[in-house]
Amino acid sequence: MKIVTGIDTDTLDELSQTWDDIRENFQDYRNDEYDRAVLDCAARLAADPGGTAHVWTLGLVMTAPYVAWLPGDGVRQAVVEALEAADGTLCDRPCDHASHPYREHDDDHDVYLVDQLRQLADETGEWDEERPRDEWLCPHNTAGFARIALDIIAPGTVADVPPRIPVDDRNTITTLSALLHGYPKPWTDIDEEISSQARDLKAADPADRAGRLQVVRAVSWYAVSGMVRTKSVIDELVAAVEQALPHFEDASCDHEQHPVLPGSGPDAAELGVMMSSPGGRGVYERIRAEEGWGAPLEKVVCPVLMKEVAKDVLTRLRERRDVLFGHRDTSHADAEYLRADGRLEIERIADRLDFSSRNEPYADDLGLWAARRYERAGDRERAVLLLTIYQTMKISYPSPPLPVVRGVLTALRAVAAAPRPDACAHDDEHPTLRYAEFRRGMPHFYAPEEFAQEGPAPDEGRRSAEAWTCPRFAAAVAEECIESLEGLYEETAEDEAGVE
């Protein structure tokens, strides 16, 4: 075996494996062990930008994501200086090759560098690469990989390299993909992640603004779904789109039609991030050329299309912000849940309390309507309304909006604070709050003459009116519901006044 690098195989294997470990775990910031390995590699390249330069340069390509992320003090400067020196020294060396491997090397190929280094070390060993060994070892190719490493560390600072999505943007894509699929990474601060997309849109350069707007479009669906419980997050998104819209307001184009942007949050976010940097747009065009899919770039970021996107996103955000955090009108519920004589439409209410996804659209308004009606109701109706509040807050998905929580907490806290006897005045058990027994028993309790045949028979668990109206039962129901709601919003602290 002839070693062409002057480095023994065991040492090279150990170094390359260390570099590959750093590549895979580059987000482990300010890692002293990583810093030492990277600085050693940079120092070796600076000391010998000649015969073994390809080894140290490929090592720095592998470790460049860590250097771009958050290395220790002085690491980035040392690496950049070594790479720039190598590029300057090697790019002018004589070369007869028509092309070099670096021109086709994108980030998907970084994973193979550890094996390529080992093959390059042994000129007598098997060679299974498409490009010949001499092209890989050519000084021009090493200079090209030095520029690739520089582009990873400081995107857009060098020329003549394949386009790449910046490291930060790649991380954003994976973070948003997990979040928008509904399974955020354990360390993701959801409010901060979404707010940061608004800030990125506000700070975007003109060429990147369309992409950043598309990212905000993607996260806006999640933000207004009820998963975000902080109003300031939606306020930031609104402000960012309001600031961006005038940049597209007077746009015109000669496109006959525009592409339909992705309809799923993760896909829309990925496309938007890709459109948010020169490297990302370059990757899009390369993939489109190679695979033949996707609309032309100029149509994807067309300012006329972006004007439509901005207006649509702004409308959605404003409307849903009002629903999630503004005053909620429940007067329409009277026609649905009250009879002409003013009594409850008990069968419909009982049906809407079935734990089923079909009742999710009704839960918030029904629960808030019941809370607002509670104070002026009689004993039997109060029992029904309290249980309606309890059940609807369980059904609400993903969680009840702030005005609903405020309204029902006002009623629930009053119930929980009311005097209660030391013992129940009835001998039977309290009503079961789930399953068919509850849905059949409630109408019979509320209107026994009308629903005499409803609910279980007395010997099968029918509850007495005293059990339904028991103050101790009411307090327990109220306290359980309060506990489940008080942590949802900061605004619902114990001393917060309810909003009617």
Side-chain angles (χ1 to χ4, degrees):
M1 177 186 295
K2 183 178 179 181
I3 306 300
V4 299
T5 61
I7 308 170
D8 68 82
T9 303
D10 291 341
T11 299
L12 181 60
D13 284 349
E14 182 180 348
L15 287 171
S16 60
Q17 188 58 59
T18 296
W19 299 333
D20 199 50
D21 288 343
I22 295 173
R23 180 192 61 80
E24 289 186 344
N25 303 288
F26 70 90
Q27 291 174 313
D28 190 3
Y29 59 89
R30 295 191 182 279
N31 183 308
D32 291 341
E33 184 177 340
Y34 288 2
D35 290 341
R36 287 192 295 270
V38 173
L39 287 171
D40 173 71
C41 188
R44 294 185 189 229
L45 176 60
D48 181 18
T52 60
H54 67 279
V55 174
W56 318 119
T57 299
L58 293 182
L60 292 178
V61 171
M62 296 164 71
T63 58
Y66 170 73
V67 179
W69 194 247
L70 194 60
D73 295 339
V75 174
R76 182 173 302 179
Q77 180 179 352
V79 170
V80 168
E81 289 176 355
L83 290 167
E84 289 177 341
D87 180 34
T89 299
L90 300 173
C91 67
D92 293 331
R93 296 279 179 89
C95 169
D96 295 329
H97 300 126
S99 185
H100 297 91
Y102 83 87
R103 292 186 178 277
E104 301 170 358
H105 188 91
D106 57 39
D107 57 1
D108 290 338
H109 298 151
D110 289 350
V111 67
Y112 304 117
L113 288 177
V114 63
D115 294 326
Q116 287 164 339
L117 269 171
R118 292 165 181 164
Q119 290 190 58
L120 286 169
D122 179 13
E123 67 178 7
T124 65
E126 181 180 356
W127 183 258
D128 58 11
E129 295 296 326
E130 292 183 7
R131 307 299 291 267
R133 186 193 303 270
D134 64 302
E135 288 187 5
W136 273 95
L137 294 172
C138 177
H140 278 221
N141 188 58
T142 301
F145 272 101
R147 292 193 298 276
I148 287 176
L150 287 167
D151 189 55
I152 295 172
I153 296 168
T157 58
V158 297
D160 190 31
V161 292
R164 282 186 176 231
I165 298 174
V167 172
D168 283 350
D169 285 355
R170 283 165 46 200
N171 180 65
T172 297
I173 288 173
T174 58
T175 299
L176 290 181
S177 178
L179 172 59
L180 300 180
H181 271 116
Y183 300 96
K185 297 177 180 180
W187 55 84
T188 299
D189 182 327
I190 294 176
D191 286 357
E192 171 58 25
E193 186 62 38
I194 293 178
S195 294
S196 71
Q197 308 313 318
R199 294 194 296 271
D200 287 345
L201 173 56
K202 283 185 172 183
D205 291 335
D208 302 337
R209 187 175 290 120
R212 292 300 173 191
L213 175 61
Q214 292 182 39
V215 179
V216 168
R217 169 180 177 264
V219 300
S220 70
W221 295 322
Y222 184 93
V224 301
S225 69
M227 300 298 287
V228 172
R229 303 188 183 108
T230 307
K231 180 175 177 289
S232 61
V233 174
I234 299 181
D235 290 340
E236 285 192 74
L237 293 173
V238 169
V241 180
E242 287 176 338
Q243 178 180 305
L245 180 56
H247 294 285
F248 305 115
E249 196 68 69
D250 298 327
S252 61
C253 71
D254 56 4
H255 300 140
E256 292 184 3
Q257 61 181 15
H258 292 111
V260 177
L261 297 177
S264 79
D267 291 344
E270 181 174 6
L271 179 62
V273 173
M274 196 176 290
M275 295 295 108
S276 299
S277 69
R281 292 189 290 273
V283 170
Y284 177 87
E285 291 201 283
R286 187 197 71 217
I287 294 174
R288 181 171 177 270
E290 292 175 353
E291 301 183 7
W293 64 264
L297 177 63
E298 65 272 12
K299 290 188 177 182
V300 177
V301 297
C302 175
V304 173
L305 174 60
M306 292 304 101
K307 176 172 65 175
E308 297 173 3
V309 168
K311 289 181 176 179
D312 177 67
V313 172
L314 200 53
T315 298
R316 180 189 312 118
L317 287 170
R318 287 169 172 168
E319 289 179 350
R320 288 294 296 168
R321 179 174 60 182
D322 288 344
V323 170
L324 294 171
F325 298 98
H327 174 76
R328 199 172 185 113
D329 182 12
T330 56
S331 59
H332 61 87
D334 287 352
E336 189 168 7
Y337 300 120
L338 290 181
R339 297 180 178 181
D341 62 3
R343 288 172 56 77
L344 299 179
E345 189 67 72
I346 190 64
E347 280 188 295
R348 178 169 295 167
I349 291 175
D351 182 62
R352 293 282 165 83
L353 301 186
D354 180 25
F355 278 81
S356 169
S357 59
R358 68 182 175 86
N359 281 329
E360 290 172 6
Y362 312 109
D364 293 330
D365 282 349
L366 175 54
L368 182 57
W369 175 83
R372 288 171 171 169
R373 187 175 174 83
Y374 182 86
E375 185 62 30
R376 60 181 183 272
D379 288 346
R380 282 185 184 257
E381 184 174 329
R382 278 191 172 192
V384 171
L385 294 175
L386 175 62
L387 295 175
T388 297
I389 295 170
Y390 176 90
Q391 299 286 72
T392 54
M393 294 303 96
K394 298 289 186 182
I395 296 169
S396 179
Y397 182 84
S399 60
L402 176 60
V404 174
V405 173
R406 280 175 165 166
V408 301
L409 281 177
T410 300
L412 292 170
R413 286 170 178 155
V415 174
R420 70 192 81 168
D422 293 334
C424 297
H426 53 91
D427 295 327
D428 54 338
E429 295 181 355
H430 294 135
T432 300
L433 297 182
R434 301 193 69 167
Y435 312 116
E437 179 184 337
F438 170 76
R439 297 194 305 275
R440 294 196 307 269
M442 180 184 283
H444 178 270
F445 155 70
Y446 179 70
E449 302 84 2
E450 184 177 350
F451 297 97
Q453 303 304 315
E454 295 294 327
D459 59 351
E460 295 177 351
R462 178 180 293 178
R463 305 294 187 256
S464 66
E466 291 77 14
W468 284 91
T469 58
C470 175
R472 293 177 59 82
F473 175 53
V477 169
E479 288 171 351
E480 180 182 340
C481 199
I482 289 171
E483 183 178 0
S484 70
L485 295 176
E486 281 188 334
L488 290 178
Y489 300 90
E490 292 182 1
E491 294 89 337
T492 56
E494 286 287 350
D495 58 350
E496 179 75 12
V499 175
E500 290 297 316

